[in-house]
Amino acid sequence: MTENEVKLAGDRVGVFSGAVEAMQALAEERTTARDLLEGCLEAIGQDNGKVNAVVLLNVEDARRLADSRDSALRAGRKTGPLHGLPVTIKECFDVEGMPTTWGDPALAPAYPARSAGVARRMAEAGAVLIGKTNLPARLGDWETDNPLFGGTRNPHDLSRSAGGSSGGSAAAVACGFSYADVGSDQGGSIRLPAHYCGVNGLKPTWGILPMSGHSMLGETRVPDIGVSGPFARKAEDLSVLIDVLAGSEEPGTAWRLQLSRSRIAGLKGLRIGVMLEHEECPVDAAYLDALNRFLGKLEAAGAQVDRAARPGIDFNDANNLMNSLVRAETSTRLDEEQFLKALKAAESDGIGIGRFKYINAKGSTMPHRRWLQLHEKRMRICDAWRNFFNRYDFFLCPVSASAAAPFRKAIHPEVRTIPVNGEELPVLTQHFWFSFASLAYLPSNAAPIGTTSEGLPCGVQVIGRKYGDHDVAAVSALLSNLIQV
């Protein structure tokens, strides 16, 4: 290997392609938890210096835990469905005994006494935590780069972006540094990195996975739109991870979450709506060609693909609504000086400050009365999607404007651009494709569909009905079988 080449998980000896496969090998005594861990640590030692995906390691504790898992298994005891599986987690999730920095040197590192809900659930299921993965400072970007840890590069091409804000998560899973990771997503922060790095990244139905221990301000409320969600190399791993992670955190609660198991057995006869193009966010020709080729395979497999199917909503209006509500949610992170600047920008006519800066300022400073009005509009959009899924099983669309964009650090996302069809497109226009699932609280997986003509991995958003997370995972696994066709 040259200094610019990186091994992917599928190229590494001793690294199983998926979590389910690794767990089966453990159960059949073809490997051990310690061997799985050492394989991941070896991969980290070889290539993390180039990719910079894992930024905080927990090696000795992980080794002790892996050995403990092996001893328990020999004695016939199994902790849970992830017993002995090496995993990582996005740096912004609290983990007892490890610092949480949010990638920002202006914030004092927190050493929490209690782990985030998703971290606790992985531990309770028997997983072995290797360490934490990289992110942009304060999660405020689709480029994973920060002053504390530096930038994360795409393992398929080190000159390109791994995406953000869960870029370290996606790159770690792609490289075989771990078998699964948990990231977070509000405006595409799981789906974009998964698409760029060629792995599965599920934004689940809003509210079904814990978000405790994921707040820069120590907030205890559940954030609007924001979710935690799993990364995996294989789509069949997603259902296992959903089962481990989902459910209420309230002690003694009178209700429990019971997601329907998927009954999807094949692609034939599935009713699938598709939308590949829109003037609000043009799609690069190389990526669009890969999407169309994949849809041809999907139709050949017997799926009923309807390229004209649409829910009864105005997509431009929904996109603007999404931007406003996201900025309203993240406004709590603004200090007083930043809020006053945003207020001044929002009260201007918007001319000269840039479209996205103006949109962000308006959303960050909206009064509660306005938020309630916009929330009502969202509820009507949720109804439109509910009606759509009475007629169709899934909705497919691009994940973003292109395959992995060039890595461009130190450029504010309000002014950063990416190349699309030979022109520079504002990176924030990609909110359009993410808004479909985020705004309406729907599950969406960025499912790998192969590569572009440039050899870059790419995926498709598989959007399903609310609480249909297992269906989304199941059909994503079926779609993966078409890649080699």
Side-chain angles (χ1 to χ4, degrees):
M1 288 195 338
T2 70
E3 62 179 13
N4 291 321
E5 291 179 321
V6 172
K7 275 189 178 181
L8 300 173
D11 299 323
R12 296 187 185 279
V13 176
V15 176
F16 295 94
S17 60
V20 168
E21 183 183 350
M23 300 306 299
Q24 288 173 342
L26 271 173
E28 295 167 3
E29 299 183 351
R30 291 185 283 116
T31 190
T32 64
R34 182 62 181 265
D35 285 343
L36 291 178
L37 173 63
E38 294 301 332
C40 291
L41 291 175
E42 181 180 354
I44 291 170
Q46 288 177 347
D47 285 326
N48 194 50
K50 303 172 186 176
V51 177
N52 194 32
V54 181
V55 292
L56 294 171
L57 281 167
N58 192 31
V59 176
E60 293 311 312
D61 284 346
R63 282 176 169 151
R64 282 194 292 270
L65 187 55
D67 290 342
S68 174
R69 296 286 189 251
D70 285 331
S71 296
L73 209 55
R74 286 193 294 270
R77 300 190 308 274
K78 185 177 178 181
T79 309
L82 301 184
H83 186 100
L85 187 75
V87 300
T88 48
I89 194 168
K90 192 175 180 180
E91 200 270 354
C92 52
F93 286 102
D94 289 342
V95 174
E96 186 177 348
M98 299 186 74
T100 304
T101 70
W102 290 69
D104 189 346
L107 299 173
Y111 288 85
R114 181 175 171 81
S115 294
V118 289
R120 292 199 310 274
R121 287 187 173 168
M122 284 201 295
E124 290 164 0
V128 175
L129 180 66
I130 299 173
K132 289 187 164 189
T133 46
N134 206 13
L135 73 181
R138 302 189 178 210
L139 311 188
D141 205 341
W142 280 327
E143 187 71 89
T144 294
D145 184 45
N146 66 72
L148 283 179
F149 304 121
T152 297
R153 301 304 183 106
N154 191 301
H156 296 264
D157 181 342
L158 295 174
S159 72
R160 293 182 182 268
S161 172
S165 63
S166 307
S169 301
V173 171
C175 287
F177 298 164
S178 65
Y179 283 90
D181 190 290
V182 178
S184 54
D185 186 307
Q186 187 178 50
S189 288
I190 288 174
R191 290 160 286 170
L192 181 68
H195 161 62
Y196 275 9
C197 294
V199 298
N200 290 275
L202 176 70
K203 185 212 82 68
T205 299
W206 180 81
I208 70 169
L209 267 63
M211 283 295 279
S212 64
H214 181 280
S215 172
M216 194 170 60
L217 305 175
E219 297 163 302
T220 57
R221 66 183 178 85
V222 177
D224 185 27
I225 300 177
V227 299
S228 55
F231 287 87
R233 289 192 286 276
K234 296 288 187 178
E236 51 262 38
D237 298 340
L238 295 176
S239 278
V240 177
L241 294 166
I242 292 167
D243 285 340
V244 165
L245 298 169
S248 172
E249 282 195 287
E250 296 180 25
T253 183
W255 66 272
R256 66 187 178 92
L257 180 70
Q258 187 172 351
L259 297 174
S260 298
R261 310 308 303 182
S262 180
R263 297 182 179 179
I264 296 174
L267 294 171
K268 188 174 181 179
L270 287 181
R271 301 161 300 170
I272 299 177
V274 173
M275 176 177 173
L276 295 187
E277 297 182 82
H278 195 278
E279 69 276 3
E280 178 63 22
C281 183
V283 176
D284 189 72
Y287 177 32
L288 186 61
D289 180 61
L291 287 166
N292 278 311
R293 282 188 280 112
F294 184 77
L295 287 181
K297 296 176 182 179
L298 183 57
E299 290 173 314
Q304 298 175 17
V305 175
D306 186 344
R307 295 174 183 250
R310 303 287 184 270
I313 64 176
D314 182 320
F315 284 105
N316 283 326
D317 188 45
N319 182 44
N320 291 332
L321 179 58
M322 162 77 172
N323 281 313
S324 295
L325 291 176
V326 166
R327 293 282 72 84
E329 169 58 39
T330 60
S331 67
T332 58
R333 301 177 193 171
L334 301 177
D335 60 30
E336 286 304 307
E337 181 179 353
Q338 291 170 326
F339 181 78
L340 290 174
K341 286 182 179 179
L343 195 61
K344 183 177 180 181
E347 291 172 347
S348 72
D349 57 13
I351 298 174
I353 66 172
R355 173 193 173 194
F356 291 106
K357 185 173 182 179
Y358 182 67
I359 290 173
N360 290 348
K362 293 288 285 186
S364 296
T365 58
M366 75 169 68
H368 187 56
R369 176 176 178 270
R370 180 58 177 159
W371 187 93
L372 290 172
Q373 292 171 337
L374 295 184
H375 180 60
E376 177 61 29
K377 290 181 67 175
R378 170 174 41 196
M379 291 297 97
R380 296 181 184 186
I381 289 173
C382 289
D383 285 340
W385 278 109
R386 188 178 299 112
N387 292 333
F388 176 86
F389 286 119
N390 287 333
R391 295 177 288 118
Y392 293 91
D393 298 303
F394 299 98
F395 187 79
L396 304 188
C397 67
V399 182
S400 66
S402 67
F407 180 80
R408 292 175 176 174
K409 62 183 300 181
I411 303 174
H412 196 281
E414 288 178 349
V415 295
R416 183 185 294 122
T417 60
I418 56 173
V420 176
N421 294 322
E423 299 182 3
E424 291 293 325
L425 180 78
V427 69
L428 288 178
T429 59
Q430 295 180 113
H431 256 295
F432 176 80
W433 295 113
F434 299 124
S435 69
F436 298 178
S438 288
L439 182 64
Y441 301 144
L442 302 174
S444 174
N445 182 42
I449 60 167
T451 61
T452 67
S453 56
E454 300 171 310
L456 294 172
C458 58
V460 64
Q461 274 198 85
V462 181
I463 302 175
R465 69 185 73 246
K466 192 176 183 182
Y467 303 119
D469 300 67
H470 284 301
D471 279 341
V472 168
V475 80
S476 295
L478 293 171
L479 295 181
S480 68
N481 296 328
L482 300 178
I483 296 176
Q484 304 302 325
V485 176

